[in-house]
Amino acid sequence: MDKQKVKALLKGAMIAVIRCADFDTAQAVCKSALEAGIDALEITFSVKDAPKLIRELKAELPNAVIGAGTVLNEMQAEEALASGADFIVSPCIVREVGEFCAVNKVFCSMGAATPTEAYQAHLLGCEVVKLFPGECISPGIIKACKAPMPFLEFMPTGGVDDTTIKSWFDAGAYAVGLGGYLTGGIHKGNLPLIQERVDRLKAARGEVF
C-alpha cells in the first residue's frame, strides 16, 4: 500500500500491537481486534512466523491496514515487505531499517523517547515517530517537541489505555499503539474481552458507537 495512503489511514488510529507467542492465538486476536473496531494491526516479530501471519491476514482481509512491528534489521524489514506489510515499526532507531523503508517507499515508524531521537528518526524517513515506551513519557512531550519541530508526528505506544488515550490525542498524538491493555491475558477462550476493551477506549475518546 502506498505510504501516503497508509499515513492518511493511520490518522487518529488505534493500532493493536500483537505480541502473542502462539501463532493460532495471534491470528484469532488479530481478527477479533479488527472486528471490534481497531483501525490497524502491528504484528510484531515476537509472534512466531509473523511474516506468515501478515501474509495470510492480508490475503483474507486485503483492505485491512496491517504492519510489522519489532523490526530490528534489514532482513526482517525485507521479510515484512515480502509478506505484504503495509508499514514497518521499530522500537528504536535502526538506521538500516529506515534506509530500507526509504528506498522501498514503505511507511516507517521508529521508536524515540527524546527530542534528539525523534529528529533522528525523522531524518531517516519516519513519517510518524513512535514514542516508546509510552508509559515512561508524558503526553506533554508532543507539544514540547512540535514547538520547534512542527513537522514531527507522534504515535505513543506502551501504557496507552482507557485512562490515558484521550490525554494523548488531546496532546496531539497522530495515532496510538495499544499493547498490553488491549491484548494482555487474551486467549481463544476469552476473545470477547477485546470488544469490551475497545468499547472502553472509544468511550474514553468520546466516541458515540
Side-chain angles (χ1 to χ4, degrees):
M1 189 182 296
D2 176 78
K3 69 177 183 178
Q4 292 307 317
K5 181 178 181 180
V6 172
K7 184 174 182 178
L9 290 172
L10 292 183
K11 175 68 173 176
M14 297 190 297
I15 304 167
V17 181
I18 309 299
R19 294 196 179 280
C20 311
D22 175 70
F23 183 93
D24 291 339
T25 299
Q27 186 176 53
V29 169
C30 286
K31 291 181 179 180
S32 293
L34 291 173
E35 290 171 0
I38 283 294
D39 303 297
L41 301 174
E42 177 191 325
I43 298 172
T44 69
F45 266 72
S46 56
V47 174
K48 179 178 173 57
D49 296 324
K52 177 185 176 185
L53 179 56
I54 294 169
R55 185 165 53 251
E56 290 185 0
L57 287 172
K58 286 299 296 184
E60 184 177 349
L61 304 164
N63 294 323
V65 182
I66 302 173
T70 318
V71 177
L72 295 172
N73 54 59
E74 184 176 350
M75 183 180 296
Q76 290 179 332
E78 290 175 350
E79 290 181 309
L81 184 58
S83 71
D86 296 312
F87 60 92
I88 289 175
V89 181
S90 298
C92 55
I93 295 172
V94 186
R95 177 174 291 275
E96 63 186 85
V97 172
E99 291 174 347
F100 173 86
C101 289
V103 169
N104 290 279
K105 298 180 172 58
V106 181
F107 181 98
C108 176
S109 180
M110 291 192 286
T114 68
T116 298
E117 292 174 348
Y119 186 58
Q120 289 175 341
H122 168 75
L123 291 178
L124 285 172
C126 282
E127 281 76 23
V128 176
V129 177
K130 174 177 179 173
L131 281 175
F132 181 79
E135 59 263 44
C136 301
I137 306 170
S138 164
I141 193 174
I142 296 179
K143 181 179 179 181
C145 286
K146 287 178 76 72
M149 298 180 286
F151 46 84
L152 294 181
E153 300 290 358
F154 294 96
M155 176 181 70
T157 303
V160 181
D161 57 27
D162 60 335
T163 68
T164 62
I165 189 169
K166 188 174 188 300
S167 296
W168 279 114
F169 276 117
D170 286 349
Y174 191 87
V176 297
L178 298 157
Y181 172 80
L182 183 66
T183 62
I186 297 293
H187 50 78
K188 287 190 285 188
N190 64 0
L191 291 172
L193 283 178
I194 294 177
Q195 183 69 67
E196 294 179 21
R197 294 173 184 179
V198 171
D199 288 347
R200 286 200 295 270
L201 289 164
K202 289 184 175 182
R205 292 182 66 179
E207 293 186 27
V208 177
F209 56 94

